[in-house]
Amino acid sequence: MIRVLEKSIADKIAAGEVIERPLSIVKELVENAIDAGSNSIIVEIKNGGKTYIRVTDNGCGIDRDSVETAFLRHATSKISSVRDLDGINTLGFRGEALASIAAVTRTEMITKTKQSPEGTKLIIHGAEVISNQFTGCPDGTTIIVSDLFYNTPARLNFLKSDSAESSIIIDFMSQIALAYINIKFRLINNGNIVFSTKGDGNRYNTILSIYRQKEFEYLVPVSYNDGKNNLEGYISTPATSKTSRRNQIFFVNGRIVNSKIIEKGVNEGYRERLFEGRFPITFLFLETSPYTLDVNIHPNKREVRFGDENEIITFISDAIKDSLGTKEAVVEVKNVFREPEPIYIEKKHKEEQVDIKKILSMKRESHNNAVKNIPEKGKILPKIEIKKDETNYHLSIENPVSRPFDFDELKIGPAIFGTYITATDENNFYLIDQHAAHERIFYEKLVAEYESSEKVRQPILVPIILDVPLSVKENHYSWLDSLNKIGYTIEAFGLNSYIVKEIPTYMTISESEMFINEFLDNVEDTTDLKNSVVINKLITKSCKSAVKAHDYLNEEEIKALIKDLKNCINPFSCPHGRPTFIKLSQYEIEKMFKRV
């Protein structure tokens, strides 16, 4: 017998798809607050959000006549026709959030529009309206959600501990605050303020106010536009990396997303700059046309689909490579002395000595960690100002400014220990690893040969015979041409066999045979001929060909090496991911001599 489910049962089932845990409620309510045009959002949770969640905003509010309608399933103000789904510009749009929340909690909404003389207070328990009355309240909306899953207690067993659920919510709020830097966010957990942002439009300030780890103070800014896509954000230098992707945070059109496509772009951008198994810190904010984006592929809206995935991968990669080619991305020796030291900050044309311990103990809303590193003379780093009023100190940190690294500014000196070439510019001292630098030069030369249209081939005395499946032979016109382009000479040799007469010069016979067999095994999926076998071979060959440590170079050889390094696409690291050179700032040197 087939029957239509009762509304209460259907609501609970539907809510299960949208409300998985307390985070789901916080996410939906905060996104609604952002869509409502708020510039101030306060979130308070207790017991990991299981017993209490409150979200207060100063947005447009809801008309009294629409308050109950807002809690009906598929009721929304954000789309009105099917055409709107092709270009979604809001965070919410399905009209499922409030209905799903109300179905499994005790919910109270207090809301008022700017035009209305008084507000509305609506109480709903388990999707049933308990009361709807007038109330006095400020403009905007407050929603209080308590007793999550009180009417579906079995689902409580699937939640994590209070601290674990709190941690997940804190992560989300930290991320959403980065995306909307013109909104003041405050997060309160069990009565304690976790963080509070200023909403001053400064993303770098916001990062430092939320993520107080030391390495976040030295991020490199990203700003890149190709006419169709725009990317802003901050990334770490190759000197700073993590063992997981936890610190890789992506936004697309203001929406926090998990994206394998953006990950691929990041990986490509850092290729040859990081060791395998290490991951950079990234805060990336991608803006693209909503008409080339599908955000309606998962209930929690954490996943998106791009119209042209390869275009996005290339765009992200190019943006990262561009940023890592700046002066600020060079590996720098810092914090030679770990102990806190007095710093001098200009105040009203007068130098005043301030103990850094004192600054670090000041009010948490100030970006305290950033004052540990003061820019040396002439260097472009985050600018720090301290202003004092009657009661407190306030720190203001300007965005760091990037500029390209200019080899022509270097004054080349002698090599030390027969390994490290010395150089200086106006504000920094450099050590250049001659082996790593020469590896990079040789590697890019070999890659250029590998990718060139005309390949130098080497004939082999005993040809290689290949037997391929009939399905692969049927499509041989495509893969034969691909293999020919990378340096093979192959001809048909029977029903489903081929003979290899010449191989690329940068491979041995065994390597070329291993490569071609692997290529044919994956011929249907292979789109990138930069196979790992080839790349690893080029890296090994460049390493063997490069000058070694303790190979003493004369002045002309040093100058020639630096000139060749200057012309490299990526002069900052060897093919293994090690830095080719590091810098020691004038400020750090003066610290060693106790001059500052």
Side-chain angles (χ1 to χ4, degrees), residues 242-421:
K242 300 289 187 178
T243 56
S244 72
R245 297 187 187 275
R246 177 178 172 78
N247 293 112
Q248 293 188 355
I249 300 172
F250 308 135
F251 303 81
V252 177
N253 292 358
R255 189 186 302 277
I256 303 169
V257 300
N258 302 321
S259 173
K260 295 295 183 182
I261 300 305
I262 299 179
E263 280 183 12
K264 287 182 180 178
V266 171
N267 291 344
E268 184 65 28
Y270 277 90
R271 178 180 287 191
E272 302 157 20
R273 290 173 168 86
L274 287 178
F275 288 105
E276 188 173 347
R278 303 293 301 185
F279 303 95
I281 299 167
T282 61
F283 298 95
L284 296 179
F285 304 83
L286 175 65
E287 294 292 331
T288 189
S289 170
Y291 297 99
T292 63
L293 194 68
D294 185 358
V295 300
N296 193 22
I297 62 175
H298 195 277
N300 65 19
K301 302 189 290 289
R302 284 288 303 231
E303 299 177 17
V304 295
R305 182 180 293 120
F306 296 98
D308 189 335
E309 295 180 347
N310 288 331
E311 177 186 283
I312 296 299
I313 291 171
T314 301
F315 174 74
I316 298 293
S317 172
D318 290 346
I320 289 174
K321 290 175 182 176
D322 181 73
S323 297
L324 293 179
T326 63
K327 198 178 187 73
E328 287 68 32
V330 178
V331 177
E332 183 170 4
V333 179
K334 293 186 176 182
N335 301 317
V336 178
F337 291 98
R338 296 284 181 180
E339 70 272 19
E341 295 189 17
I343 58 175
Y344 292 89
I345 300 171
E346 186 173 348
K347 179 196 173 191
K348 295 182 180 179
H349 311 290
K350 174 184 176 184
E351 282 197 338
E352 173 177 302
Q353 184 171 333
V354 183
D355 190 328
I356 197 166
K357 286 184 177 179
K358 180 179 179 182
I359 295 177
L360 293 179
S361 66
M362 292 175 188
K363 195 173 180 179
R364 278 292 181 182
E365 70 178 7
S366 64
H367 305 300
N368 44 17
N369 284 341
V371 303
K372 293 183 181 177
N373 294 277
I374 302 303
E376 69 272 18
K377 180 182 177 183
K379 184 172 179 196
I380 303 177
L381 277 179
K383 182 180 178 183
I384 302 172
E385 296 177 357
I386 293 188
K387 300 176 182 179
K388 187 177 180 182
D389 57 23
E390 294 295 325
T391 60
N392 213 336
Y393 282 87
H394 303 282
L395 301 188
S396 176
I397 305 170
E398 296 181 359
N399 281 351
V401 179
S402 293
R403 59 190 177 112
F405 186 85
D406 189 355
F407 277 87
D408 293 332
E409 292 182 358
L410 296 181
K411 295 179 181 178
I412 306 300
I416 60 174
F417 312 129
T419 303
Y420 305 106
I421 299 168

Side-chain angles (χ1 to χ4, degrees), residues 312-537:
I312 296 299
I313 291 171
T314 301
F315 174 74
I316 298 293
S317 172
D318 290 346
I320 289 174
K321 290 175 182 176
D322 181 73
S323 297
L324 293 179
T326 63
K327 198 178 187 73
E328 287 68 32
V330 178
V331 177
E332 183 170 4
V333 179
K334 293 186 176 182
N335 301 317
V336 178
F337 291 98
R338 296 284 181 180
E339 70 272 19
E341 295 189 17
I343 58 175
Y344 292 89
I345 300 171
E346 186 173 348
K347 179 196 173 191
K348 295 182 180 179
H349 311 290
K350 174 184 176 184
E351 282 197 338
E352 173 177 302
Q353 184 171 333
V354 183
D355 190 328
I356 197 166
K357 286 184 177 179
K358 180 179 179 182
I359 295 177
L360 293 179
S361 66
M362 292 175 188
K363 195 173 180 179
R364 278 292 181 182
E365 70 178 7
S366 64
H367 305 300
N368 44 17
N369 284 341
V371 303
K372 293 183 181 177
N373 294 277
I374 302 303
E376 69 272 18
K377 180 182 177 183
K379 184 172 179 196
I380 303 177
L381 277 179
K383 182 180 178 183
I384 302 172
E385 296 177 357
I386 293 188
K387 300 176 182 179
K388 187 177 180 182
D389 57 23
E390 294 295 325
T391 60
N392 213 336
Y393 282 87
H394 303 282
L395 301 188
S396 176
I397 305 170
E398 296 181 359
N399 281 351
V401 179
S402 293
R403 59 190 177 112
F405 186 85
D406 189 355
F407 277 87
D408 293 332
E409 292 182 358
L410 296 181
K411 295 179 181 178
I412 306 300
I416 60 174
F417 312 129
T419 303
Y420 305 106
I421 299 168
T422 61
T424 59
D425 62 18
E426 184 180 357
N427 303 296
N428 302 285
F429 171 76
Y430 297 89
L431 287 174
I432 302 167
D433 185 328
Q434 64 186 35
H435 176 67
H438 214 201
E439 269 191 283
R440 165 55 55 183
I441 294 165
F442 267 118
Y443 175 70
E444 292 200 5
K445 178 182 177 182
L446 290 169
V447 169
E449 292 177 359
Y450 165 61
E451 295 177 339
S452 66
S453 57
E454 293 186 8
K455 296 294 185 298
V456 179
R457 306 162 192 264
Q458 54 179 333
I460 52 179
L461 185 62
V462 180
I464 301 170
I465 305 299
L466 299 172
D467 293 322
V468 302
L470 290 175
S471 59
V472 173
K473 178 177 175 60
E474 191 67 25
N475 193 33
H476 75 277
Y477 292 106
S478 60
W479 60 261
L480 269 180
D481 184 58
S482 296
L483 290 170
N484 179 66
K485 287 180 179 178
I486 64 173
Y488 285 92
T489 299
I490 307 177
E491 299 173 357
F493 192 69
L495 180 63
N496 64 327
S497 299
Y498 292 84
I499 184 170
V500 181
K501 295 182 176 181
E502 295 177 316
I503 62 175
T505 56
Y506 46 80
M507 291 189 192
T508 64
I509 294 176
S510 60
E511 287 169 341
S512 64
E513 187 171 7
M514 180 172 63
F515 169 78
I516 200 169
N517 282 322
E518 183 176 338
F519 178 81
L520 291 174
D521 285 343
N522 300 278
V523 67
E524 294 181 359
D525 301 323
T526 301
T527 58
D528 185 2
L529 291 178
K530 291 181 179 177
N531 184 280
S532 60
V533 176
V534 177
I535 294 300
N536 290 337
K537 174 59 181 172

Side-chain angles (χ1 to χ4, degrees), residues 100-274:
S100 296
I101 292 169
V104 292
T105 66
R106 305 182 198 275
T107 302
E108 177 181 327
M109 172 188 279
I110 301 170
T111 186
K112 176 182 175 300
T113 63
K114 185 176 181 181
Q115 297 77 22
S116 177
E118 54 189 346
T120 302
K121 181 177 181 180
L122 178 72
I123 299 176
I124 298 180
H125 291 175
E128 296 295 326
V129 175
I130 303 301
S131 68
N132 183 343
Q133 57 191 21
F134 289 105
T135 188
C137 62
D139 296 345
T141 301
T142 293
I143 296 182
I144 301 172
V145 176
S146 57
D147 298 332
L148 175 61
F149 299 143
Y150 80 97
N151 53 359
T152 54
R155 296 189 62 190
L156 287 171
N157 298 327
F158 293 93
L159 297 182
K160 298 182 179 181
S161 66
D162 291 358
S163 60
E165 296 293 344
S166 296
S167 179
I168 296 171
I169 293 172
I170 291 170
D171 276 348
F172 165 77
M173 289 300 300
S174 300
Q175 295 168 11
I176 202 74
L178 296 180
Y180 295 90
I181 53 180
N182 292 310
I183 298 177
K184 296 179 181 179
F185 286 92
R186 174 172 291 184
L187 175 61
I188 304 169
N189 182 24
N190 293 327
N192 300 313
I193 297 176
V194 178
F195 69 79
S196 181
T197 67
K198 293 183 177 180
D200 59 2
N202 189 314
R203 185 163 282 131
Y204 190 70
N205 275 353
T206 306
I207 290 173
L208 293 183
S209 69
I210 297 172
Y211 298 93
R212 295 165 182 162
Q213 294 97 311
K214 187 71 176 176
E215 59 264 36
F216 284 27
E217 296 176 22
Y218 309 113
L219 298 177
V220 178
V222 177
S223 182
Y224 200 74
N225 188 295
D226 68 353
K228 292 191 294 184
N229 306 292
N230 186 74
L231 188 70
E232 302 288 337
Y234 291 88
I235 59 177
S236 62
T237 69
T240 303
S241 61
K242 300 289 187 178
T243 56
S244 72
R245 297 187 187 275
R246 177 178 172 78
N247 293 112
Q248 293 188 355
I249 300 172
F250 308 135
F251 303 81
V252 177
N253 292 358
R255 189 186 302 277
I256 303 169
V257 300
N258 302 321
S259 173
K260 295 295 183 182
I261 300 305
I262 299 179
E263 280 183 12
K264 287 182 180 178
V266 171
N267 291 344
E268 184 65 28
Y270 277 90
R271 178 180 287 191
E272 302 157 20
R273 290 173 168 86
L274 287 178

